[in-house]
Structure formats: structure tokens, C-alpha cells
């Protein structure tokens, strides 16, 4: 996207997803235009649920939302703490409030709240940047766990790797930006950005990990 904007002198790229957001929307606009939060058409939703009777985790929220037919790229951060919040594109606000009434069997109520009230996750993810020869699961996984490619393949073959909460046993599975990996024995990792290619034809990627 920066490459596109860089081709025109009067265009700039601006990113926003909320005060503490990891996942952000991008806007390409003339340099004289300074977009405010509303211009990105993002809404913040808070989930009201019976905390005494059910424990909700990130995968429960993501899985339920995607089961409604909502694509991952329409959804921003999901923050699970003392409160549960997530962001998504404004065009889906009415739909999700109407349709999402249960998570993990528990009745829930969704409320739109001001984006300025977004909470900051207490999880301490570490961010990294690297280059890879391709977006195959085994190629990216070896970078994330900092092991050899053969060990990465063993993890995949032994069904110890999930992508977006689904076990993937194919080493050549193609990853994409926003994919969440659960790696048994290590923890979680997420691809946060896929950039352009280097002069040696390698792909630049950014990712973060929450390892044990």
C-alpha cells in the first residue's frame, strides 16, 4: 500500500484501528486530508455476558463471529480481559448486534461504545520482522519458533499446529495476514503484516508471538 501511495506525490497512507490497536485499517488519501477516527468507519463493541457462569476466550469470540459469515479482514482487535471488546467495520455493526446473541452456549448482549473507551490488553506479545522465501506454513513456522524447517514440519505432521483454530497438517498450507497460529508447546503467534519483496525476491513479514 505504501508502494501505491509512493507512486503519487500528493498521496499518503494513514492507519487506524483504535487507541491501542494491533490490527488497523489503512486509508490512502491526499496529503492535505487529515482523517479523524470516524473517517475509518470502525466501531468498538463490548460484550455483556454472565462472567460468573462462563469463561470466554479469544478463540470463542473469533470463532463465533466468523460463523456468522463475517470475513477476518472485517474484524479488528479482540481484547479479552476483565471486559471483552472487539472492533469491526461500521457497515456490520447492526448485523452483528442483531445476530450474535450466544457465545459458547451463553446468552450475550453486544453494545456499541465510543472508540476512545477501548481497553489495552494485558497480554505481552513480542513483535518481530523477518524475510521468508514464501508463505508456506512450514517456512513461516520455523521463523516463529526459531527452529529448523525439519522441526517445523514435525510439529505440523504431529498435528500440533492450528491456524485460526483449525488443525493444519499440510506443510505447504499458505498463510495470510491476520492468521492466528496456535503451536502446542510454544504458544500463539500472529502474522500482522505481509510487505513487499526484497531484491533477493524474499517476502517481508511482520509477526508477533505470545509464547510460554
Amino acid at each position: 500500500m505504501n508502494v501505491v501511495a509512493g507512486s503519487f506525490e500528493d498521496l499518503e497512507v494513514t492507519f487506524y484501528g483504535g487507541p491501542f490497536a494491533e490490527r488497523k485499517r489503512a486509508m490512502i488519501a491526499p496529503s492535505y486530508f487529515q482523517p479523524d477516527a470516524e473517517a475509518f468507519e470502525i466501531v468498538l463493541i463490548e460484550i455483556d455476558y454472565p462472567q460468573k457462569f462462563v469463561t470466554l476466550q479469544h478463540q470463542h469470540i473469533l470463532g463465533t463471529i466468523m460463523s456468522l459469515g463475517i470475513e477476518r479482514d472485517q474484524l479488528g482487535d479482540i481484547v479479552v480481559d476483565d471486559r471483552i471488546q472487539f472492533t469491526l467495520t461500521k457497515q456490520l455493526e447492526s448485523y452483528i448486534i442483531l445476530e450474535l446473541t450466544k457465545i459458547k452456549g451463553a446468552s450475550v448482549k453486544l453494545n456499541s461504545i465510543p472508540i476512545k473507551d477501548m481497553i489495552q490488553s494485558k497480554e505481552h506479545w513480542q513483535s518481530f520482522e523477518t524475510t521468508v522465501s514464501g508463505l508456506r506454513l512450514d517456512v513461516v513456522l520455523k521463523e516463529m519458533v526459531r527452529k529448523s524447517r525439519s522441526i517445523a514440519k514435525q510439529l505440523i505432521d504431529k498435528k500440533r499446529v492450528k491456524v485460526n483454530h483449525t488443525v493444519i497438517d499440510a506443510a505447504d498450507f499458505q498463510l495470510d495476514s491476520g492468521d492466528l497460529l496456535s503451536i502446542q508447546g510454544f504458544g500463539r503467534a500472529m502474522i500482522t503484516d505481509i510487505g513487499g519483496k526484497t531484491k533477493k525476491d524474499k517476502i517481508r513479514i511482520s509477526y508477533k508471538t505470545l509464547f510460554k
Side-chain angles (χ1 to χ4, degrees), residues 124-184:
H124 298 293
W125 292 75
Q126 287 187 291
S127 297
F128 302 90
E129 293 181 356
T130 189
T131 58
V132 291
S133 58
L135 296 173
R136 286 172 51 116
L137 177 57
D138 59 341
V139 172
V140 176
L141 181 62
K142 85 176 187 66
E143 295 292 333
M144 291 176 165
V145 299
R146 299 180 181 271
K147 301 290 184 181
S148 67
R149 190 166 173 181
S150 62
I151 290 178
K153 285 184 176 180
Q154 288 178 24
L155 291 170
I156 297 166
D157 291 341
K158 292 179 180 179
K159 303 183 186 301
R160 294 175 62 183
V161 180
K162 293 182 180 180
V163 179
N164 298 327
H165 314 295
T166 300
V167 173
I168 302 296
D169 57 6
D172 61 354
F173 180 85
Q174 294 293 304
L175 294 171
D176 200 356
S177 180
D179 281 347
L180 176 68
L181 282 71
S182 300
I183 309 152
Q184 188 178 340

Side-chain angles (χ1 to χ4, degrees), residues 25-120:
R25 298 193 84 180
M27 179 182 294
I28 299 177
S31 55
Y32 60 79
F33 177 68
Q34 298 298 318
D36 57 14
E38 289 187 5
F40 287 87
E41 297 188 342
I42 296 171
V43 293
L44 178 63
I45 305 292
E46 186 160 295
I47 302 175
D48 184 10
Y49 70 103
Q51 299 185 31
K52 291 184 179 180
F53 304 105
V54 65
T55 299
L56 298 181
Q57 298 178 347
H58 185 283
Q59 63 263 34
H60 302 136
I61 313 302
L62 178 61
T64 303
I65 292 173
M66 294 186 71
S67 73
L68 296 176
I70 295 175
E71 298 291 336
R72 186 65 179 93
D73 60 6
Q74 298 292 312
L75 185 64
D77 284 9
I78 299 173
V79 181
V80 180
D81 207 82
D82 296 332
R83 296 149 66 191
I84 298 179
Q85 298 178 344
F86 64 89
T87 55
L88 82 163
T89 53
K90 187 173 179 60
Q91 67 191 48
L92 294 171
E93 179 182 10
S94 297
Y95 171 73
I96 201 167
I97 289 176
L98 180 65
E99 296 295 329
L100 204 164
T101 58
K102 285 185 179 294
I103 302 176
K104 202 181 172 184
S107 295
V108 301
K109 181 182 179 183
L110 273 54
N111 301 297
S112 295
I113 62 174
I115 195 76
K116 65 179 179 63
D117 293 336
M118 186 177 189
I119 59 176
Q120 186 172 15

